Amino acid sequence: GVVTVRTSGRGLGKIFIYKQDRTSNPGHSVVARITSGMDMIKLAGPGQLITIRVLPERIMLLGCHLLDALMQMQARGIEAEVEGYEGEDAVVVKQEPGATMAILKHKKVHILSIPATRLISVQLYDDLAPKTLDYFRHVTGLKERPVGPLPVYFVYENTLLFKPEIDAVSLKELLPENKPTGPVPAGSIAVSNQVSKKIGLVGMKLVDDKRYGPSGEKFEATNIIGRVLEPQKLKDVSEGETIYIKEVR
């Protein structure tokens, strides 16, 4: 019933659940113990998915309305410090610490909130651009969190360019993937691939375009990864600002 994570050697990062007693291993860290449902573990086969309910429940406030977040923290006896916008439409886009156990240890969390008009909902094309989305989710933090930042790098005409806070170009391959074959629809999101000199740049287009992709590149240097569901929110965005995106599945 013990759950461990491999911390060194072959299989680094893999999660193990023990069905029987075993000798301890210095390359494994114990992170949890199953309190109910061991029969399900014993019956599970390769390729099957198991739903896990974790205690204590994860504290993840990103994307919540500020009032709801404050009520959650009050119910759990946690002090919440708020920075930023506090209007009726305020939404949470950052919390410190990020880890639940650190929040519970100190009984305190720092929250950054913004107007809902600066939280942009997006739909991402996992079936069309899986490798590029691995890069995109990494640099925006969407792999671990429901909301991620995109700093505005440049704005011109009806195109917005973003330079992610995390530089992962050297870590992730950005081969051409899901390149446009015709006019690019308004609201499209793209990442410049390795054909471009500005590889890894993220772009959004607010109007249809027959010649260039959302990141300002020709079609062969453009990987389309998704679309903005509320493009009207981007019309008054300015350089130097940071918008926050939320993936809608």
Side-chain angles (χ1 to χ4, degrees):
V2 163
V3 183
T4 70
V5 177
R6 182 78 177 181
T7 56
S8 63
R10 186 176 179 182
L12 177 67
K14 288 186 176 180
I15 298 172
F16 295 79
I17 300 177
Y18 292 82
K19 299 180 182 179
Q20 299 177 356
D21 294 348
R22 286 288 184 270
T23 304
S24 62
N25 186 312
H28 286 249
S29 289
V30 176
V31 296
R33 181 182 296 276
I34 293 176
T35 56
S36 63
M38 270 304 296
D39 290 340
M40 189 67 70
I41 297 298
K42 293 177 180 179
L43 293 171
Q48 293 182 324
L49 299 176
I50 298 174
T51 299
I52 297 175
R53 182 181 299 166
V54 178
L55 294 175
E57 292 184 6
R58 185 186 188 192
I59 297 176
M60 177 47 65
L61 306 175
L62 275 61
C64 294
H65 286 287
L66 178 59
L67 181 59
D68 292 340
L70 294 176
M71 291 176 64
Q72 287 183 46
M73 294 301 91
Q74 184 179 18
R76 298 182 70 165
I78 296 170
E79 179 186 352
E81 292 182 349
V82 181
E83 176 187 351
Y85 179 73
E86 297 186 38
E88 291 184 3
D89 62 333
V91 291
V92 178
V93 293
K94 188 181 291 186
Q95 68 177 49
E96 292 292 343
T100 297
M101 301 308 289
I103 296 174
L104 293 176
K105 179 180 179 180
H106 300 289
K107 293 290 184 180
K108 193 173 184 179
V109 64
H110 185 86
I111 293 173
L112 174 65
S113 56
I114 64 171
T117 53
R118 282 298 182 261
L119 180 61
I120 313 299
S121 297
V122 301
Q123 180 186 7
L124 302 177
Y125 303 153
D126 283 285
D127 53 336
L128 300 175
K131 292 183 179 180
T132 311
L133 281 174
D134 180 61
Y135 163 84
F136 181 74
R137 290 193 176 104
H138 178 83
V139 297
T140 57
L142 289 178
K143 274 192 172 184
E144 298 85 23
R145 303 183 297 271
V147 172
L150 269 180
V152 182
Y153 176 62
F154 193 60
V155 178
Y156 66 96
E157 296 180 354
N158 291 294
T159 300
L160 288 82
L161 299 180
F162 304 89
K163 194 170 186 178
E165 292 180 348
I166 299 173
D167 183 5
V169 170
S170 60
L171 304 176
K172 305 281 184 178
E173 278 191 336
L174 282 174
L175 299 172
E177 183 179 50
N178 196 34
K179 297 177 295 180
T181 56
V184 176
S188 296
I189 311 170
V191 175
S192 298
N193 61 40
Q194 65 182 28
V195 176
S196 168
K197 291 182 179 180
K198 297 190 182 231
I199 180 174
L201 210 60
V202 178
M204 297 180 184
K205 183 76 72 172
L206 301 183
V207 297
D208 297 350
D209 198 317
K210 298 179 180 179
R211 297 182 58 194
Y212 299 101
S215 58
E217 302 286 350
K218 293 183 178 180
F219 286 177
E220 62 265 24
T222 301
N223 291 358
I224 300 292
I225 61 169
R227 67 186 182 98
V228 179
L229 300 181
E230 304 157 306
Q232 69 276 8
K233 289 185 176 182
L234 297 170
K235 289 184 178 179
D236 60 345
V237 169
S238 56
E239 293 175 18
E241 183 180 352
T242 296
I243 68 165
Y244 290 83
I245 57 173
K246 180 178 182 178
E247 182 177 358
V248 176
R249 295 178 181 268

